[in-house]
Amino acid sequence: MEREVVLTKRDCVARLVPAGTEITIPADTFVTITQALGGTFTVVVNGNLARVEGRDADALGKNVADFNFDDITEGEVNERHVWEALRAVYDPEIPVNIVDLGLVYNVAVNKEDGKNCVNVEMTLTAPGCGMGPVIADDVKHKLTLVPNVDEARVELVFDPPWSNDMLSEEAKLELGML
């Protein structure tokens, strides 16, 4: 995506990157959209990078497309849908989804007390990243949009530590590492 300068249409909440600190961007503020992936937006506001959630897309004059899952089986979670949802989660600084970044270590779909639960073990590119809880919440949110998922849990783990070797070939290509 090319950068796009927009004028905010209303106040909206954002999180500074990489600290994760919540801020409010006032209405009628010029921001530059640097990334619009996975239903979230990364913007530059007053010289700072910030992430705006999809629920506030209208404040940027944008719309967010909903998931359109096919092949839904009553009462069962389709693991392909789970991976599709995970591929819709992006690090706000990197235009590559968390699956291709190699951040997802394990996914398990289980039946617990009659509920369909999805458990995800994942890591971050840097252990001290303030955006970690925000990315984990985005994972939970996207997983609850998958048909028949009743609960989603995310555990951040740091063993083994993430490295560039975990990037998919597509991610390496996107990041100019091939």
Side-chain angles (χ1 to χ4, degrees):
M1 159 185 183
E2 286 191 36
R3 292 173 177 245
E4 179 184 0
V5 177
V6 298
L7 185 66
T8 55
K9 301 188 178 314
R10 62 171 176 81
D11 291 359
C12 72
V13 174
R15 293 208 174 261
L16 291 176
V17 176
T21 307
E22 189 174 290
I23 63 168
T24 299
I25 302 172
D28 300 320
T29 300
F30 282 104
V31 300
T32 303
I33 301 173
T34 62
Q35 181 170 293
L37 297 167
T40 63
F41 302 87
T42 302
V43 301
V44 176
V45 56
N46 299 326
N48 296 298
L49 205 57
R51 175 176 159 149
V52 176
E53 298 298 324
R55 67 179 167 271
D56 289 316
D58 66 304
L60 303 174
K62 302 294 177 187
N63 294 313
V64 176
D66 291 330
F67 281 114
N68 189 12
F69 295 109
D70 61 353
D71 195 28
I72 299 170
T73 305
E74 184 66 34
E76 292 183 27
V77 175
N78 183 322
E79 196 165 328
R80 185 173 49 79
H81 294 163
V82 169
W83 285 100
E84 186 179 331
L86 290 171
R87 282 188 176 85
V89 178
Y90 287 80
D91 182 302
E93 296 177 287
I94 307 170
V96 176
N97 68 68
I98 63 169
V99 174
D100 288 332
L101 278 173
L103 299 180
V104 178
Y105 288 169
N106 187 38
V107 175
V109 178
N110 303 309
K111 201 73 134 163
E112 297 176 17
D113 298 324
K115 293 182 177 181
N116 290 318
C117 299
V118 178
N119 296 295
V120 175
E121 283 184 5
M122 64 174 287
T123 194
L124 304 170
T125 56
C129 176
M131 292 301 291
V134 176
I135 294 169
D137 284 345
D138 196 16
V139 169
K140 285 182 201 174
H141 171 71
K142 296 251 173 40
L143 289 174
T144 59
L145 299 176
V146 172
N148 302 314
V149 170
D150 298 308
E151 187 175 345
R153 300 182 195 123
V154 177
E155 182 181 0
L156 290 175
V157 297
F158 299 100
D159 188 30
W162 181 85
S163 73
N164 287 346
D165 296 336
M166 297 173 171
L167 293 166
S168 71
E169 294 299 314
E170 293 84 6
K172 289 177 183 176
L173 185 62
E174 175 70 28
L175 298 173
M177 299 175 76
L178 281 181

